[in-house]
Amino acid sequence: MLPARVLVIEDDPAIGSELAEALTGNGYDAVLTVTGEEALAEAQRRAPDLVLLDLGLPDVDGVAVCRRIRAVYPHTVIVVLTARSQEFEVVVALDAGADDYLTKPFRLTELMARLRAHLRRQASAPEDRTLSVGRLRLDLAARRAYVRDVELPLRPKEFDLLSALATRAGEMVAREQLMEEVWDVNWFGSTKTLDVHVSALRRKLGEYGEDPSRITTLRGRGYRYET
């Protein structure tokens, strides 16, 4: 089996080289680029399985790079590595096509665990069934979600989270269970990424005609998709 191709996009050569070396040491085929234009050219050349993207690039905004890679490679896993911690900046990156993000500084062990989890999910076959809750309909085989037969523009992790909640509609799903099921890792530190994805789901449900309050917060415990 060929190693997964990883494109590292990091304008700090020291950090980028360290990441590329660590990835190579863990069995990945890693290439480092330090500008947005260089990264886009390399992405076109090698069709990466994974992209590690720093948002603060010297020539092209990282969000624009994310959007352009996602447009060409819908199944490539994009993980944003950023020093930006404001929630709206994270939401912008996720809406541009990122699957996940890590705030600098981060632990290398956490990064590797997340990459392994993303690749496992990418390779796994979906269940062949559909599910309806209220006006929401999920095609779990095709990984598509609809409200009144209009498809929701969901990112991979948004779909995973929505299906995890909808398949247990009416039940509370604990934060820790959602993190383990959707991100498939022994989670390190903050679960803020879960809250960001829930906010994005609520917004998209509302925009497409479903009541966003169907996703109820049970403070400090978890979330519930109301029937």
Side-chain angles (χ1 to χ4, degrees), residues 187-204:
W187 199 254
F188 295 84
S190 170
T191 58
K192 184 179 178 182
T193 189
L194 171 60
D195 302 319
V196 170
H197 279 72
V198 168
S199 295
L201 277 180
R202 284 176 173 150
R203 176 173 54 79
K204 291 181 180 181

Side-chain angles (χ1 to χ4, degrees), residues 32-173:
L32 170 64
T33 58
V34 296
T35 70
E37 291 298 340
E38 182 186 0
L40 291 169
E42 186 64 28
Q44 185 175 16
R45 187 183 71 81
R46 72 192 321 251
D49 301 300
L50 294 162
V51 173
L52 301 184
L53 171 62
D54 176 30
L55 293 181
L57 300 174
D59 58 339
V60 182
D61 182 70
V63 171
V65 172
C66 179
R67 190 175 289 113
R68 288 169 66 178
I69 291 176
R70 174 59 69 220
V72 178
Y73 301 112
H75 301 297
T76 293
V77 174
I78 302 175
V79 179
V80 165
L81 308 177
T82 178
R84 307 174 187 178
S85 58
Q86 294 296 321
E87 182 172 316
F88 78 90
E89 294 178 305
V90 173
V91 170
V92 168
L94 294 172
D95 281 345
D99 298 292
D100 201 357
Y101 75 96
L102 274 171
T103 302
K104 297 176 181 178
F106 54 85
R107 287 183 264 194
L108 192 59
T109 52
E110 179 181 2
L111 174 62
M112 294 302 171
R114 292 203 197 188
L115 296 187
R116 290 192 297 270
H118 282 299
L119 287 175
R120 282 197 298 272
R121 287 192 170 276
Q122 193 180 55
S124 63
E127 299 176 71
D128 185 15
R129 58 193 179 96
T130 61
L131 171 72
S132 295
V133 184
R135 289 183 286 267
L136 175 69
R137 178 170 59 87
L138 297 179
D139 184 336
L140 299 176
R143 292 180 57 81
R144 304 174 82 169
Y146 303 86
V147 172
R148 292 174 174 155
D149 295 324
V150 178
E151 185 173 1
L152 295 175
L154 299 183
R155 300 304 177 190
K157 289 302 177 189
E158 291 171 354
F159 181 88
D160 291 339
L161 177 57
L162 183 58
S163 62
L165 291 168
T167 53
R168 301 177 181 85
E171 304 174 17
M172 184 201 78
V173 187

